[in-house]
Structure formats: structure tokens, C-alpha cells
């Protein structure tokens, strides 16, 4: 790409359309439920159950707005590597470059982290087998699954999401029984909300939980990367799948975390440490405390499935993101290679090579190494979500500038332009709060190590952004709104035909009973 030139991005590679509607819906519903909810929520719980609910409610609210923005953009422009591509097109090529590599780094680092977390989960059963052996087994399994193409990825995520869904629903039913006195502890009720209390670390503790909540919800936007490989009509299938995020938030997070807060006290010694070990999972702690012998092992299997599922998503997310970057001229051209089966082999190969970092689990320095690996991608999600909302705002501005309306769009965001502004502002505020916590850590004195471990992700984004600005010599902050092209790459190029289809769908929807209208709005 020439310096200073803005590209209009379309799919150039031969990704196969093999993802089915049911797979997309399950990926959206439970695809990225993993260690953030099942393990890291234990660390957050140390700040009190009230902090848990307040933080997850705040993050969930602007995540929902973000996903609605993504649904509208993905329905109009179903391209590979959607968010980075949208950032390049609607915001600025340098920002698109920074966002693309930010997201790619996030996923390529997540994989070795999840591999080690999975091997450590095996230690729940006091396995005599060295953890490196489990790392090797899980490593081969995940790479082989991705070599099966998007069908292998889709089916794996479909089955894993069902297992996670059943596990969470089963835990919720058990939790109600335990709270009401069905376990060894007798009647629990709300005693842990009174002692040690709902907010054990004050305002600063709530702010620290915002970051954990964001981490637990990271990967929700992965559904946007599937738009170029959807077997169904993207304008219908993707928005419908993205609507499932609402139910993930309500069932998987808000309800489940409320019940966990009733069952496990914030002062529990088992929560201290915050490593990716299943014994620190508040879910396993709650089941053990109830005196149930077999269920902790069963739920530990669910934790293991969730971790491997995230590892599987990591290879998919990285390979599709660098493919999109290569299409834009923002990554080496060899990443554009897609074989006859629709597999971006170059991206999968690089992910496999970087994932060899997982074998650092054999080193006594593994915790230090992985702390820095996590810091590289720790804030990636906030930048990604903010970029999605900013792209949406710029797209709507270009639409308005050309005197066109949302009537021509295949899907219109439920939260609209104000929801996108809310999502963008909240992402900025959480980044600002994280900067404050990085400078003045909870319960510690200010120090450089903690600052960079918590905020290195922002430094990486700035380096990529400024580096591309200098290289391209394009110092404009934003693409001019009159230069934004909003027709190339559309899922439906014939706008008149599209409007006719939408009009017919609306007429059919009017004849539906009220309960069906409500169901279609939320599902």
C-alpha cells in the first residue's frame, strides 16, 4: 500500500463459507466463556460480591452496545478481520494497523497461556504425569483441530459451548439448593454479604474488578471474524447470533456471579493466589464447601473444556486477523496464503510456533514470563471494543453526510448511535481508571514493574500507531468523512433489492403474535 493511501477493503482470499447458523449462535452464546469467568472471577471476588456485580454490570452494559455496533457493521460489510478492517476504512489506516496487530498479539499470546492453564487444571487430580506432557497433548490437539478448517473450528466450539452451557446452568441450580441449606454448611442465605461485606476494598476495589470483568468478557467480539465464513446469509445470521450475547451476559455472568457471591466469602483463603489453577475457581470452592464429593471433578472437566476452547479460538482469531492485515498491505503477503480447503495456513503456522512458549511451564520462571506475556495483551480488549464503536460512529457519519438513511441497512443496531457513544466513552474511562491503578496499585506503593505489567498493552498500541504514522507519512488523525466509501464490499450491492427484501421481512414480522415479536427482538 502506498504511503498515505487509504484502501477500500474487500475479501481477496478464498476462505470457505462453512460455518453454520447453529455454530454461529453457540459461538456467540458460550464460545469465549473460559478462565475469565471460571477462574479469574475468584480474584475479583476478593473485593466483595457487591464489587463483582457492580463491575460486571457496567462492563456488560457497554459490551452489549459494542456488539450491537458490530452487528450492524458486520451485516453490511462481512469481511475477514472485521474490526481492524473497519478501523482502517472508517477511522484511519494507522489506527487500523495498530488495532489489527493489537488484536493479533492478543490471540497469539492467549493460546500458550491457555495451554499452560489447561495443564495446571489437570493437577487438580494430582496427576503423576509431568505438566509438559499435557501441554504437548493439548498443543497438538488444538493445532490439528484448526487444520480441519472452519468446520473443525465450528463443530468444536459448538460442542464446547453446549458443555459449558449445561455446566453453568447445572451449577446455578445446585447453587440455589446450597444457598437454601441443601449442603454441609446448612442455610447460607446472605451472610457473606454482611460479613465480610459486599465491598471489602472500597471504590478502588470496584475499579480493579472492572479490568477482570473486561478480561472475562474478552473474545465476545470473535463472532465478528466469522462473517466472511458464514454459510448462511451474513446480514441475517450474524445479527441473530450476536443477539445471543444478551443471554450470555444474563445467564452466564450476572446470575451465576450473584450466586457465587452468596456461596464463597471474599476472605476465603482458597481465592488467594489468583493463578490459573482450578482449585482457585470459586465454582469448585463452592461445590467442595457443600460437601459434594464427585461434582468438583466433573466441574473441573468443564473448566478444562473451557480453557481448551479458548485456545482453539485463539488460533482461529490470530490466523484470520493477520490474513485481513495482509489483505490491507499491513502484514507480510505470505499471511494471505489460503489453501484449497480454505485454511489460512501461514497464520496457523505462526500461531503454532509462538505457542511453543507454552513449554516455559517446565521452567521455574514460568510465572514471571507469563505475567509479562499477559501484560502484552492485557488491555487489548478495551482498544478493540472502543475501535468497534468509533468505526460505527464514523460509518453513520458518512451515511448521513451522503444524505442516506438506515433504511438501506440490512440490520440496524438496537442501541443506535448513542449506544456507540456510550460504549466508546466507557472504554476510555476504564482505560483511564486502569492507568490510575497502574500508577497506584491496590495495597502497594507505586513502582515501575507493576505499572508496565498492567499498562504495557497501551504502550504497544501507541508504538504501532506512531510507527505506522511515521512510515506512511500520513499525519491526518481521521479519514475525512467525505472520503469514506460506504458501498464497496457490501453484503448486498443492489440496495433497491435489499430494501425490498427488508420491507417484505418487516411486513411478515408485523403479522406475528406479540410473544414472537419479543422473542425475535432479543433472540
Amino acid at each position: 500500500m502506498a504511503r498515505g493511501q487509504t484502501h477500500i477493503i474487500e475479501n481477496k482470499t478464498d476462505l470457505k463459507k462453512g460455518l453454520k447458523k447453529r455454530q454461529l449462535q453457540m459461538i456467540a452464546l458460550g464460545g469465549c466463556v473460559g478462565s475469565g469467568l471460571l477462574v479469574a472471577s475468584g480474584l475479583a471476588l476478593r473485593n466483595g460480591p457487591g464489587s463483582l456485580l457492580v463491575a460486571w454490570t457496567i462492563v456488560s452494559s457497554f459490551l452489549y452496545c459494542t456488539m450491537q455496533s458490530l452487528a450492524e457493521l458486520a451485516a453490511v460489510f462481512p469481511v475477514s478481520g472485521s474490526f481492524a478492517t473497519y478501523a482502517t476504512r472508517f477511522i484511519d489506516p494507522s489506527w487500523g494497523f495498530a488495532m489489527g496487530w493489537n488484536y493479533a498479539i492478543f490471540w497469539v499470546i492467549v493460546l500458550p497461556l491457555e495451554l499452560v492453564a489447561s495443564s495446571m487444571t489437570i493437577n487438580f487430580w494430582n496427576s503423576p504425569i509431568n505438566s509438559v506432557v499435557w501441554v504437548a497433548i493439548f498443543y497438538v490437539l488444538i493445532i490439528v483441530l484448526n487444520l480441519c478448517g472452519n468446520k473443525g473450528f465450528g463443530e468444536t466450539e459448538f460442542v464446547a459451548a453446549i458443555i459449558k452451557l449445561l455446566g453453568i446452568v447445572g451449577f446455578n441450580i445446585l447453587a440455589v439448593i446450597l444457598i437454601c441449606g441443601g449442603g454441609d454448611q446448612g442455610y447460607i442465605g446472605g451472610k457473606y454479604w454482611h460479613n465480610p461485606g459486599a465491598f471489602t476494598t472500597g471504590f478502588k476495589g470496584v475499579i480493579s474488578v472492572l479490568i477482570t470483568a473486561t478480561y472475562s468478557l474478552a473474545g465476545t467480539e470473535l463472532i465478528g471474524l466469522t462473517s466472511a465464513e458464514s454459510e448462511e446469509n451474513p446480514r441475517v445470521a450474524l445479527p441473530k447470533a450476536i443477539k445471543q450475547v444478551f443471554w450470555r451476559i444474563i445467564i452466564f455472568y450476572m446470575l451465576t456471579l450473584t450466586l457465587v457471591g452468596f456461596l464463597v466469602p471474599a476472605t476465603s483463603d482458597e481465592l488467594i493466589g489468583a493463578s490459573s489453577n482450578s482449585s482457585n475457581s470459586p465454582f469448585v470452592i463452592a461445590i467442595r464447601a457443600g460437601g459434594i464429593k464427585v461434582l468438583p471433578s466433573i466441574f473441573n472437566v468443564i473448566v478444562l473444556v473451557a480453557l481448551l476452547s479458548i485456545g482453539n479460538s485463539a488460533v482461529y482469531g490470530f490466523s484470520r486477523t493477520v490474513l485481513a492485515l495482509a489483505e490491507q498491505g499491513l502484514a507480510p503477503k505470505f499471511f494471505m496464503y489460503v489453501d484449497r480447503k480454505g485454511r489460512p495456513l501461514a497464520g496457523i503456522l505462526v500461531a503454532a510456533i509462538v505457542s511453543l512458549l507454552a513449554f516455559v511451564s517446565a521452567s521455574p520462571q514460568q510465572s514471571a514470563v507469563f505475567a509479562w506475556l499477559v501484560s502484552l495483551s492485557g488491555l487489548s480488549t478495551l482498544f478493540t471494543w472502543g475501535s468497534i464503536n468509533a468505526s460505527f460512529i464514523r460509518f453513520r457519519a458518512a451515511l448521513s453526510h451522503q444524505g442516506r438513511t438506515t433504511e438501506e441497512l440490512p440490520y440496524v443496531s438496537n442501541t443506535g448511535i448513542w449506544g456507540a457513544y456510550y460504549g466508546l466513552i466507557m472504554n476510555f474511562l476504564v482505560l483511564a481508571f486502569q492507568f490510575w491503578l497502574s500508577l497506584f496499585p491496590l495495597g502497594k506503593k507505586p513502582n515501575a514493574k507493576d505499572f508496565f505489567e498492567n499498562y504495557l498493552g497501551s504502550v504497544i498500541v501507541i508504538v504501532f500507531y506512531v510507527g505506522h504514522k511515521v512510515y506512511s507519512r500520513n499525519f491526518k488523525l481521521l479519514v475525512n468523512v467525505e472520503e469514506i466509501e460506504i458501498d464497496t464490499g457490501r453484503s448486498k450491492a443492489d440496495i433497491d433489492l435489499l430494501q425490498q427484501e427488508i420491507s417484505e421481512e418487516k411486513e411478515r414480522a408485523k403479522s406475528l403474535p406479540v410473544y414472537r415479536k419479543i422473542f425475535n427482538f432479543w433472540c
Side-chain angles (χ1 to χ4, degrees):
M1 183 170 67
R3 296 186 179 189
Q5 181 182 351
T6 302
H7 267 193
I8 301 300
I9 307 303
E10 294 183 89
N11 286 331
K12 302 174 184 177
T13 48
D14 191 25
L15 289 172
K16 300 297 181 183
K17 296 184 179 293
L19 293 176
K20 296 178 171 58
K21 181 180 177 180
R22 62 178 174 82
Q23 294 170 337
L24 293 177
Q25 290 181 336
M26 291 309 293
I27 289 170
L29 184 60
C32 288
V33 172
S35 57
L37 172 66
L38 302 176
V39 179
S41 58
L43 174 62
L45 183 57
R46 295 162 64 198
N47 298 285
S51 299
L52 211 66
L53 289 186
V54 170
W56 256 270
T57 299
I58 292 171
V59 175
S60 296
S61 68
F62 66 80
L63 168 63
Y64 182 77
C65 295
T66 301
M67 293 306 293
Q68 283 297 312
S69 298
L70 179 59
E72 182 172 309
L73 290 170
V76 181
F77 306 103
V79 295
S80 61
S82 58
F83 0 98
T85 305
Y86 300 148
T88 299
R89 183 170 185 167
F90 301 122
I91 302 175
D92 171 60
S94 296
W95 189 249
F97 175 78
M99 286 302 94
W101 280 107
N102 167 64
Y103 199 65
I105 289 171
F106 166 74
W107 278 123
V108 83
I109 289 174
V110 162
L111 178 54
L113 285 172
E114 296 298 322
L115 285 171
V116 172
S118 300
S119 71
M120 294 174 70
T121 300
I122 293 291
N123 293 334
F124 175 85
W125 294 286
N126 297 316
S127 172
I129 302 174
N130 192 295
S131 62
V132 175
V133 176
W134 292 113
V135 168
I137 293 171
F138 297 145
Y139 171 85
V140 172
L141 175 63
I142 289 172
I143 299 302
V144 168
L145 285 172
N146 275 271
L147 288 175
C148 292
N150 54 30
K151 287 187 177 180
F153 167 77
E155 285 301 328
T156 301
E157 291 305 297
F158 178 77
V159 173
I162 290 176
I163 293 172
K164 288 184 278 187
L165 176 62
L166 293 175
I168 295 296
V169 171
F171 173 83
N172 289 346
I173 295 171
L174 174 64
V176 172
I177 295 171
L178 294 175
I179 291 169
C180 294
D184 287 355
Q185 293 174 295
Y187 178 74
I188 298 174
K191 69 178 183 180
Y192 296 138
W193 283 73
H194 299 286
N195 183 25
F199 301 92
T200 58
T201 52
F203 175 74
K204 207 168 187 179
V206 175
I207 298 303
S208 70
V209 179
L210 285 174
I211 308 303
T212 308
T214 302
Y215 167 70
S216 78
L217 291 160
T220 304
E221 72 292 330
L222 182 73
I223 187 69
L225 289 182
T226 66
S227 58
E229 299 175 75
S230 172
E231 200 172 72
E232 307 289 330
N233 183 350
R235 81 169 184 84
V236 176
L238 277 175
K240 193 169 184 65
I242 286 174
K243 285 181 183 180
Q244 308 306 316
V245 170
F246 174 80
W247 299 110
R248 181 203 290 191
I249 290 170
I250 296 298
I251 297 173
F252 281 167
Y253 292 95
M254 302 313 300
L255 174 60
T256 304
L257 290 172
T258 299
L259 295 172
V260 167
F262 278 97
L263 289 171
V264 182
T267 52
S268 170
D269 290 340
E270 294 181 85
L271 292 175
I272 297 173
S275 65
S276 297
N277 190 305
S278 62
S279 64
N280 286 332
S281 168
F283 296 84
V284 176
I285 293 170
I287 296 171
R288 275 177 168 171
I292 304 170
K293 302 300 181 184
V294 179
L295 275 182
S297 289
I298 294 175
F299 202 86
N300 201 60
V301 172
I302 296 171
V303 173
L304 181 61
V305 169
L307 294 174
L308 293 176
S309 170
I310 300 299
N312 186 45
S313 296
V315 179
Y316 182 92
F318 174 77
S319 61
R320 271 60 178 182
T321 301
V322 292
L323 168 64
L325 287 169
E327 288 179 342
Q328 299 170 61
L330 302 177
K333 290 183 178 179
F334 70 83
F335 281 117
M336 289 179 63
Y337 176 70
V338 176
D339 70 359
R340 293 179 181 178
K341 295 183 179 180
R343 300 174 298 186
L345 292 181
I348 294 173
L349 175 63
V350 171
I353 293 172
V354 176
S355 297
L356 294 174
L357 284 170
F359 291 96
V360 76
S361 60
S363 165
Q365 300 298 319
Q366 64 165 325
S367 59
V369 172
F370 276 90
W372 285 102
L373 286 176
V374 170
S375 71
L376 286 172
S377 58
L379 300 180
S380 171
T381 300
L382 290 170
F383 283 104
T384 298
W385 292 355
S387 185
I388 290 170
N389 286 306
S391 297
F392 176 88
I393 292 167
R394 296 285 293 164
F395 167 67
R396 283 291 191 91
L399 198 69
S400 176
H401 180 78
Q402 296 187 20
R404 294 157 71 171
T405 69
T406 56
E407 290 294 320
E408 69 178 57
L409 302 181
Y411 177 80
V412 179
S413 164
N414 289 339
T415 53
I417 192 72
W418 291 111
Y421 273 112
Y422 170 70
L424 180 61
I425 292 168
M426 290 305 297
N427 274 283
F428 176 79
L429 286 177
V430 176
L431 278 170
F433 282 135
Q434 177 66 358
F435 182 78
W436 174 50
L437 281 179
S438 298
L439 283 176
F440 305 101
L442 186 63
K444 297 181 182 179
K445 294 182 179 180
N447 64 86
K449 180 178 178 293
D450 279 345
F451 175 80
F452 283 106
E453 278 194 1
N454 290 323
Y455 223 72
L456 185 58
S458 294
V459 177
I460 297 297
V461 169
I462 293 170
V463 168
F464 273 103
Y465 176 71
V466 173
H468 188 269
K469 279 291 181 193
V470 173
Y471 172 77
S472 64
R473 299 176 187 172
N474 174 20
F475 296 103
K476 286 197 305 183
L477 293 179
L478 291 172
V479 176
N480 294 330
V481 69
E482 59 270 14
E483 295 176 5
I484 297 177
E485 215 284 332
I486 58 174
D487 290 316
T488 306
R490 274 178 173 255
S491 58
K492 205 81 168 181
D494 191 332
I495 295 177
D496 292 333
L497 178 60
L498 174 62
Q499 288 180 318
Q500 181 181 341
E501 289 179 4
I502 294 172
S503 178
E504 291 173 356
E505 289 170 4
K506 287 181 178 179
E507 286 301 316
R508 287 196 296 269
K510 286 180 182 179
S511 63
L512 294 173
V514 175
Y515 77 90
R516 283 292 301 176
K517 291 178 181 178
I518 295 173
F519 178 83
N520 287 341
F521 180 83
W522 292 108
C523 302

